Amino acid sequence: EVRLLDSGGGLVQPGGSLRLSCVASGLSFSSAWMSWVRQAPGKGLEWVATINRDGGDKYYVDSVKGRFTISRDNAKSSLYLQMNSLRAEDTAVYYCARRDVSSQIFDYWGQGTLVTVSS
Amino acid sequence: QSGLTQPPSASGSPGQSVTISCTGTSSDVGAYNFVSWYQQHPGKAPKLIIYEVTKRPSGVPDRFSGSKSGNTASLTVSGLQAEDEADYYCSSYGVSNTLRVFGGGTKLTVL
């Protein structure tokens, strides 16, 4: 069974930083493209970032470029999202998800971790 | 504004069928057979229910079906059940506006 366990969310002040983690099991993590998708309270899904299998290619939505960094450690089957210069509009539940590039889908999702940016 | 457009709400009575549309452009929905649909219950993570326009992952009931015509994809839920009440999101490869990889979502209410 594939499991993605998100963690690292919490309350942070505007301008602060937070690092999210996602530990994967039940899949060949080193062969998987991975993504972060977020959902602001009461809003829809928003793709945030994607990383390829070896971490050499990274893609971001414009609103987080220069502030967020996606990374991975294949030896630990772990995905990360380093979030700096956080803004109130970054408040959301953040989900890690596997990106199946052959079908262009997010086929497995973590349970989500809530990030609240507020003073 | 490019992206995928869904109706904000849809509804039907138990046993009925309901169809949710997802309108894109000739550069995304119309160009590729990479349309997917996700179901999300309140407080839960999204779940993939349709991929490559018409395919269902293992375990998804065949009451859920997908189709596409031109630049519009559709999700049909047949034989509505109470547990089908949820938010549904479409997604397509090729969307030029990465803010809109997902449609805005449709809240399905089972009356």
Side-chain angles (χ1 to χ4, degrees), chain A residues 44-108:
Chain A
L45 301 174
E46 179 186 34
W47 168 77
V48 175
T50 294
I51 188 169
N52 74 339
R53 298 179 181 90
D54 65 7
D57 293 319
K58 306 174 183 181
Y59 308 88
Y60 301 92
V61 68
D62 285 349
S63 61
V64 309
K65 284 180 181 177
R67 301 189 300 123
F68 290 12
T69 301
I70 189 173
S71 63
R72 65 191 298 159
D73 185 338
N74 286 343
K76 296 182 178 180
S77 295
S78 294
L79 176 73
Y80 306 102
L81 186 67
Q82 177 67 43
M83 304 185 295
N84 299 331
S85 302
L86 282 161
R87 307 167 180 168
E89 54 264 37
D90 295 318
T91 294
V93 174
Y94 285 73
Y95 298 98
C96 72
R98 187 179 82 160
R99 179 67 172 173
D100 180 336
V101 293
S102 64
S103 297
Q104 297 299 327
I105 55 176
F106 302 96
D107 54 354
Y108 297 104

Side-chain angles (χ1 to χ4, degrees), chain A residues 99 101-104, chain B residues 4 22 24-37 51-54 67-73 91-96:
Chain A
R99 179 67 172 173
V101 293
S102 64
S103 297
Q104 297 299 327
Chain B
L4 304 175
C22 171
T25 70
S26 57
S27 298
D28 41 64
V29 174
Y32 304 97
N33 287 324
F34 287 131
V35 176
S36 52
W37 291 90
Y51 67 102
E52 293 180 12
V53 180
T54 61
S67 62
K68 188 182 83 167
S69 177
N71 299 336
T72 298
S91 180
S92 176
Y93 179 72
V95 173
S96 61

Side-chain angles (χ1 to χ4, degrees), chain B residues 56 59-65 76-78:
Chain B
R56 283 187 309 277
V60 174
D62 59 7
R63 302 185 293 103
F64 293 91
S65 62
T76 298
V77 186
S78 305

